[in-house]
Amino acid sequence: MKPDVLVLVPLRPDQQAQLDATYTIHRLDQADDKAALLAAVRDKILAVVTNGGRGITRVEVENLPNLKIVSSSGVGYDAIDVDACSEHGVKVTNTPDVLTDDVADMAVALFLAVRREMIKGDAYVRDGSWVNKGAMPLTRSIRGKKVGIAGLGRIGKAIAARLEPMGVELAYNGRHEQSDVAYHYMGDIVAMAAWADVLIAAMPGGASTEGMISREVLEALGPEGSFINIARGSVVDEAALIDCLGTGSLGSAGLDVFLNEPKSDPAFNSLPNVVLHPHNASGTIETRGAMSQLVVDNLAAHFAGKPLLTPVN
């Protein structure tokens, strides 16, 4: 008999077809009566497919008594109750590495869009301002600027590697100094923000980083500074961010993530000095396909009794 798998979030079509062919699939994401579906299948479910945004809660884990693995699409797992999974003998996998390049590209894209005011430039052409007002106001150069990266993991390093040839000065903040990198380590994130022209958040989400980008950090970055976030909305004090952008105590921001996704704070919509993007840094056909395939491959390894490819716990 095929193992029973509960799908909280579907995979890309090709990989979802692989799941459908290999397992008995129960689509909670499509169920009109989710409670009824769970009641009917809870004892059968051996695996769950989800993603980093949806995750899985302790209550859900405890209501699936025979669950053995949660295979998640996404590098972040702060929405997955990993402690609950570990307590109940449930393995968790994620999809690191395969999304690193696209997320790093998005960080650089937001950096350029913010510093060179590309969204304003687009509007300047479209609304006739170029004809009626003449040349667009000058923006800020990239070369020679100081960039601080908060979180020098896989993605942080990929961002740094992209920025280094652009002639910026790089520093990083993290839990500890890394001996294998040449960038300047700054243990105090407020001091790094005061030093930097641009601060990029690339740390993981979760309780340990919640609110790390505080009002003090944003104000230290200052009225000429820019904040870029491709990490999690939770890492920044979002109310302080909105206030600092509105009052001019922070110059600008480029955001791919928000605190209450997908309902971003409507206050962002009226701020001309922020570029908004809908948590889609890894959102390319190629990368999402690779992420989905890694979910499938982790499930296959589990049911074959082989080592998991990318275990979390």
Side-chain angles (χ1 to χ4, degrees):
M1 294 180 64
K2 296 180 179 179
D4 288 76
V5 175
L6 184 68
V7 174
L8 306 186
V9 179
L11 301 180
R12 293 288 297 161
D14 287 350
Q15 287 74 31
Q16 188 62 46
Q18 293 177 47
L19 289 185
D20 294 342
T22 308
Y23 307 103
T24 299
I25 299 298
H26 305 278
R27 295 290 298 270
L28 188 67
D29 62 304
Q30 294 181 340
D32 293 327
D33 190 336
K34 293 181 174 20
L37 174 61
L38 285 172
V41 304
R42 64 186 297 268
D43 293 332
K44 301 177 182 179
I45 298 302
L46 300 179
V48 163
V49 170
T50 187
N51 69 11
R54 167 62 171 83
I56 188 169
T57 66
R58 174 177 287 275
V59 170
E60 290 172 324
V61 171
E62 293 177 345
N63 282 333
L64 298 171
N66 295 307
L67 181 64
K68 300 302 179 186
I69 183 171
V70 173
S71 193
S72 176
S73 178
V75 65
Y77 46 85
D78 44 296
I80 298 172
D81 196 322
V82 177
D83 288 341
C85 288
S86 297
E87 289 167 18
H88 290 82
V90 177
K91 291 296 184 181
V92 177
T93 63
N94 64 343
T95 59
D97 296 322
V98 294
L99 52 67
T100 296
D101 286 333
D102 277 344
V103 176
D105 288 347
M106 181 57 65
V108 175
L110 287 170
F111 174 34
L112 291 171
V114 166
R115 298 298 290 188
R116 297 305 307 272
E117 300 188 16
M118 295 178 71
I119 306 302
K120 292 180 183 178
D122 179 88
Y124 204 80
V125 176
R126 291 176 187 272
D127 67 12
S129 293
W130 193 12
V131 173
N132 297 321
K133 299 178 182 179
M136 179 178 160
L138 300 180
T139 63
R140 293 286 182 177
S141 179
I142 303 302
R143 181 165 293 277
K145 294 301 182 289
K146 298 174 180 177
V147 180
I149 300 176
L152 200 71
R154 295 181 183 92
I155 293 171
K157 287 176 181 174
I159 294 169
R162 284 156 171 75
L163 292 178
E164 195 169 1
M166 299 170 70
V168 303
E169 186 177 349
L170 290 162
Y172 70 98
N173 169 268
R175 284 174 291 184
H176 52 79
E177 186 172 2
Q178 299 185 37
S179 59
D180 59 341
V181 298
Y183 315 125
H184 180 51
Y185 175 69
M186 301 184 75
D188 184 336
I189 195 167
V190 176
M192 187 172 77
W195 167 86
D197 298 295
V198 180
L199 176 64
I200 301 176
M203 69 281 267
S208 65
T209 58
E210 185 174 356
M212 180 178 291
I213 309 299
S214 63
R215 177 181 292 274
E216 185 180 10
V217 171
L218 297 169
E219 291 180 346
L221 192 53
E224 300 296 328
S226 301
F227 171 62
I228 308 298
N229 192 2
I230 49 80
R232 283 287 189 269
S234 62
V235 307
V236 62
D237 180 338
E238 192 167 89
L241 174 61
I242 291 168
D243 184 58
C244 287
L245 287 167
T247 61
S249 55
L250 174 67
S252 56
L255 309 174
D256 182 56
V257 289
F258 303 87
L259 187 59
N260 296 306
E261 298 174 2
K263 296 181 179 179
S264 63
D265 193 312
F268 282 119
N269 299 340
S270 62
L271 293 170
N273 52 345
V274 60
V275 175
L276 308 174
H277 199 254
H279 198 160
N280 205 38
S282 67
T284 65
I285 293 170
E286 296 86 353
T287 287
R288 289 293 171 85
M291 292 163 66
S292 288
Q293 190 60 52
L294 190 47
V295 169
V296 171
D297 294 345
N298 271 307
L299 287 178
H302 168 76
F303 286 110
K306 297 179 180 178
L308 298 173
L309 281 71
T310 51
V312 169
N313 61 348

